[in-house]
Amino acid sequence: MDHLRPEARRIAEMSAVERLDFLATDRWIGYSRAQDALKRMGMLLATQPGRVRPQNMLIVGPSNNGKSTIAEKFLRQHPRRSSEERDRHIFPVLSVQMIPDVTAPRFYAQLLDALGSPFGKMRQTDRRNAVTLNLMQACGVRLLLIDELHNLLCGPSSRQREILGLIRYLGNELRIPIVALGTRDAWLALRLDDQLENRFQPFLLSRWDDGSETGRLLASFETVIPLRETSGLGLPALRAVIVERSEGLIGEMHQLLSSATAHALMEGRERIVEDDLVNCIFQAPSFRRQMMERELRA
């Protein structure tokens, strides 16, 4: 089992039934594009705080293509810690998720909640704004991370501009960089504010194609799949099936491979073959959409 990482090798020594419990576990796969994103985020954290007009970053990609996983990895790399005085937490990175139909008071409340503050339900808007800024400074926030930025488009255009202005204000006032993540609609939202758009450098996470880079990604996946024999997931034959069924989305690949592993174990195999990829319990995103559309028309 030399093809497996040590932790996967230990799991592979268990019975098939015991291994099924481990298949749903999320695991970090450090493919090159994700590593590039983390390096750029790390550079922003190291060089931009304190600047008059800090640079920002927008990670753009289709849904279920690894954006939130990158954000979670970055948060694990820069966790909160206790201050030297032990009187507060220090947040090198503060993370929030843009909620649909957000308002300025709700956004401030999210920031306060993320800081663990009891002032999230404060009604006085001006007071809440001041408390939020003061707490972010006191807690040493050096980078603000906003996931699901495309949800901003759920609200009316006037509110979209209000929230974008608020995001710009936070970056200017606190002099910290901002990393946002979202689908293509996130970029469309930023274009409503010319000043903000110019400060966000886009970083694209495109769909995966049937090429060598995808082969390396699938080879990395294979090192954490607890099967005792090599499957050759990155080789052309299986790679083509995986890309087609997952529609080039890394989150869908993870689900497909987990289901295919379960199918192989139930069939008594210690490697994934094409039959497992084709006949396992998995539905591609387009199939799910078509099924729902048929149901809604019925």
Side-chain angles (χ1 to χ4, degrees), residues 48-278:
Q48 294 302 306
R51 295 199 174 188
V52 176
R53 294 290 183 268
Q55 287 295 309
N56 305 318
M57 178 179 177
L58 175 65
I59 300 178
V60 184
S63 179
N64 208 10
N65 203 33
K67 299 183 297 297
S68 295
T69 303
I70 292 172
E72 291 168 3
K73 177 67 172 179
F74 190 68
L75 285 170
R76 290 196 298 271
Q77 290 178 338
H78 306 280
R80 73 178 188 181
R81 63 182 188 276
S82 295
S83 65
E84 293 181 1
E85 299 82 6
R86 301 287 179 179
D87 60 347
R88 65 191 183 279
H89 282 119
I90 301 299
F91 293 79
V93 179
L94 185 66
S95 175
V96 295
Q97 179 176 302
M98 185 66 67
I99 60 174
D101 201 21
V102 68
T103 62
R106 288 178 183 173
F107 191 70
Y108 274 119
Q110 283 185 276
L111 293 172
L112 291 169
D113 287 341
L115 289 166
S117 166
F119 299 110
K121 300 185 184 301
M122 183 185 297
R123 293 186 178 181
Q124 292 179 317
T125 302
D126 292 341
R127 179 62 177 157
R128 177 166 41 199
N129 299 357
V131 168
T132 303
L133 290 173
N134 289 337
L135 279 178
M136 290 179 71
Q137 290 173 329
C139 292
V141 176
R142 293 172 55 84
L143 184 145
L144 176 61
L145 196 154
I146 305 174
D147 201 359
E148 306 287 347
L149 185 67
H150 51 266
N151 284 337
L152 187 62
L153 293 182
C154 295
S157 58
S158 59
R159 190 176 298 161
Q160 294 171 26
R161 289 185 171 85
E162 179 187 14
I163 300 302
L164 289 172
L166 172 56
I167 292 172
R168 175 160 42 85
Y169 168 74
L170 288 171
N172 290 344
E173 191 70 16
L174 297 169
R175 296 191 177 187
I176 60 173
I178 298 170
V179 175
L181 306 96
T183 64
R184 177 177 174 272
D185 286 343
W187 179 248
L188 297 178
L190 282 178
R191 294 181 63 183
L192 296 172
D193 188 307
D194 292 339
Q195 296 182 53
L196 204 57
E197 178 189 4
N198 291 333
R199 290 187 213 164
F200 274 87
Q201 297 295 322
F203 184 94
L204 302 180
L205 292 175
S206 303
R207 290 178 184 263
W208 296 80
D209 59 16
D210 185 10
S212 58
E213 181 68 17
T214 304
R216 287 189 287 272
L217 171 70
L218 294 174
S220 296
F221 264 118
E222 189 163 351
T223 65
V224 298
I225 295 176
L227 293 174
R228 298 168 186 170
E229 300 175 14
T230 57
S231 303
L233 298 179
L235 299 178
L238 294 185
R239 184 180 71 208
V241 178
I242 294 169
V243 171
E244 181 181 4
R245 294 219 68 198
S246 67
E247 299 180 356
L249 299 171
I250 192 170
E252 300 293 336
M253 290 183 194
H254 178 265
Q255 295 178 34
L256 172 61
L257 293 175
S258 295
S259 184
T261 302
H263 189 276
L265 288 171
M266 296 299 290
E267 292 292 322
R269 282 191 290 272
E270 288 292 339
R271 63 188 180 95
I272 294 173
V273 299
E274 184 173 348
D275 177 71
D276 300 314
L277 295 167
V278 173

